[in-house]
Amino acid sequence: MSGILGRLRKIWRTRTVERPDEPQPVVPRPKKRAHNLFEAAAAYVSACAEDDQDQIDEAAAWVSPEALSFGVNELTCRAVIALARERDESPRTVARTLLGLPTA
């Protein structure tokens, strides 16, 4: 999970750091259907799991870093809840197990 957070921080920094000496090019984007934050989060997380950097970059560009972070968080919560129900364990136990932490 820290890999995902590290990538989000990198994306955030590259999009928010002011560069006064570099002109910002105006690049027209092709008209495409807008992606919502949940589509972006699903694509981003699955690309991270598959270590597909091109798809990671593409999904990260679909929405703002804040929206992507929210979507990844929501996906994480839903996944942990689903696994907890499947395993008949608490979400806390499942989350700690997934992260390789001892159960509390």
Side-chain angles (χ1 to χ4, degrees):
M1 205 63 174
S2 65
I4 292 171
L5 294 176
R7 288 183 185 118
L8 283 173
R9 280 190 209 106
K10 182 179 175 186
I11 292 165
W12 174 255
R13 276 188 248 130
T14 60
R15 290 187 183 191
T16 59
V17 174
E18 292 184 32
R19 299 180 184 121
D21 55 338
E22 294 180 25
Q24 297 297 323
V26 177
V27 179
R29 293 186 179 219
K31 300 278 182 182
K32 290 184 180 180
R33 182 182 72 80
H35 296 279
N36 72 37
L37 66 100
F38 296 116
E39 288 175 318
Y44 183 86
V45 170
S46 60
C48 288
E50 295 169 355
D51 199 26
D52 182 348
Q53 189 61 48
D54 291 336
Q55 184 61 37
I56 290 169
D57 295 340
E58 181 180 337
W62 291 351
V63 295
S64 70
E66 298 89 357
L68 183 59
S69 178
F70 176 81
V72 168
N73 183 59
E74 186 66 23
L75 177 59
T76 303
C77 290
R78 291 180 187 195
V80 168
I81 289 168
L83 280 173
R85 288 178 181 158
E86 185 179 293
R87 296 177 180 183
D88 197 28
E89 296 177 347
S90 73
R92 176 175 293 189
T93 299
V94 170
R96 293 183 67 83
T97 300
L98 288 172
L99 292 171
L101 301 172
T103 55

